[in-house]
Amino acid sequence: MNIDATIEFIAALFMLAGSIMALISALGIIRLPDVFTRSHAGTKSSTLAVLLTLVGAFIYFASNQGFYSVRLLLGIAFVFLTAPVAGHVITRAAYRANVKMADTTVEDELKDVMDQVREEAEKERSETGEVIIEEEKKSDEEHSS
């Protein structure tokens, strides 16, 4: 077994590991109970799957053809930076939209922080004279009529 065959084997192992991670990600999306855990499976493990596959392709092309693909490197960097951030933003939006957590959820660590942020926002709005909540605006209109 020469060095080229060894490098091809290593590249194939990276691609195989990437495909296994993609399968695990798909199973996580299907099996997990709520949007928060599904988002974790959909972003973290699929990011790793894409990264492993692209690294395997980069190694293969670099060793076999002597071609160093800038597109593959940019793809690796782009996926590594954007996928976890997008998953976090989507999950945060779901949390703020009051999407129900799974019944097996033990602790909501973000609840205290969000309550504190809401209280500070209400104080700031009341100091500037802005209407705090639409329901309060409606109740004020009903009392005045």
Side-chain angles (χ1 to χ4, degrees), residues 71-87:
R71 288 182 185 176
L72 283 173
L73 292 176
L74 288 174
I76 290 169
F78 182 75
V79 169
F80 183 71
L81 294 174
T82 59
V85 173

Side-chain angles (χ1 to χ4, degrees), residues 103-135:
D103 296 333
T104 58
T105 302
V106 177
E107 184 176 353
D108 183 3
E109 294 178 359
L110 194 57
K111 185 179 184 328
D112 295 334
V113 175
M114 292 300 291
D115 289 342
Q116 183 180 3
V117 168
R118 284 187 190 111
E119 288 174 10
E120 290 174 4
E122 287 177 12
K123 286 179 187 176
E124 185 177 321
R125 287 183 188 141
S126 63
E127 290 173 1
T128 59
E130 294 180 29
V131 176
I132 297 173
I133 300 174
E134 289 296 321
E135 293 172 359

Side-chain angles (χ1 to χ4, degrees), residues 4 7 11 54-69 72-73:
D4 289 336
I7 292 174
L54 291 178
V55 166
F58 181 79
I59 291 171
Y60 175 78
F61 285 123
S63 69
N64 236 14
Q65 300 176 357
F67 176 68
Y68 298 99
S69 176
L72 283 173
L73 292 176

Side-chain angles (χ1 to χ4, degrees), residues 12 22-23 28-29 46 56 83 87 102-103 106 121 136 140 144:
L23 178 65
I29 291 171
S46 65
D103 296 333
V106 177
E136 290 181 5
D140 290 342
S144 64

